[in-house]
Amino acid sequence: MISKILIPTDGSEVAHMAARYGVDLAKQLKASVIILSVIDQRSYVGQTVPAAQTAMQVIEPIEGYLREAAEAYAGEIKAWCEKGGVQSKTVITTGHPVEEIVKEAEKSKAALIVMGSHGRSALGAAFLGSVAYGVIHQDTKIPVLVVKR
């Protein structure tokens, strides 16, 4: 029986679609949800904080900005869980998304991972990188439900 669902999010439209699906599924199954947002370490290279988000004389470190964004994405899903009466927990971590998703799923003993995919081809995923593709092909016994755009 599925009693715990891991829902990773990056704030994208397809991640939101998957999260809604995952929260609805958790409600039907009376399962709890772990909301995971991974701050990709590769994001630190060449990124700037949008001017509208900063004061003229204060520039927030990029790590703080990314953490706030991750908390906002996860917070939105947490609100959906609360509205639907689904028990949830939020985890924010830093690292490589594929590895962190699998590590958290195993650590929290999730019975299912529900995540979005942009629907890239295998060739496109190889060149551009695909978190969903990577999670599916990791050495784990946890089933993955992929919600496509």
Side-chain angles (χ1 to χ4, degrees):
M1 179 162 149
I2 297 173
S3 61
K4 200 177 288 184
I5 299 172
L6 176 72
I7 302 175
T9 183
D10 62 1
S12 66
E13 180 184 331
V14 72
H16 275 78
M17 290 172 51
R20 286 218 180 259
Y21 192 94
V23 171
D24 287 345
L25 182 61
K27 185 176 180 179
Q28 292 173 27
L29 298 173
K30 296 180 179 29
S32 64
V33 167
I34 300 116
I35 305 156
L36 175 65
S37 188
V38 179
I39 300 167
D40 190 343
Q41 289 174 327
R42 297 171 294 179
S43 298
Y44 298 148
V45 179
Q47 296 290 324
T48 58
V49 178
Q53 299 286 329
T54 62
M56 287 272 273
Q57 299 175 3
V58 180
I59 298 178
E60 183 177 343
I62 191 70
E63 184 177 0
Y65 174 75
L66 293 172
R67 181 162 289 282
E68 284 180 23
E71 289 170 353
Y73 305 147
E76 189 173 351
I77 298 168
K78 186 150 183 80
W80 297 339
C81 289
E82 289 171 359
K83 185 177 179 182
V86 174
Q87 183 182 5
S88 66
K89 169 181 124 172
T90 300
V91 176
I92 310 288
T93 188
T94 303
H96 185 266
V98 171
E99 294 168 5
E100 294 298 318
I101 290 167
V102 172
K103 185 166 71 173
E104 181 59 36
E106 290 173 349
K107 177 182 158 191
S108 63
K109 296 181 175 38
L112 178 68
I113 300 170
V114 177
M115 61 188 305
S117 173
H118 294 280
R120 294 187 185 111
S121 67
L123 181 61
F127 286 111
L128 301 172
S130 170
V131 175
Y133 185 84
V135 170
I136 290 168
H137 290 89
Q138 282 290 310
D139 185 27
T140 183
K141 291 180 174 33
I142 301 169
V144 180
L145 173 62
V146 178
V147 178
K148 292 178 80 172
R149 185 187 326 236

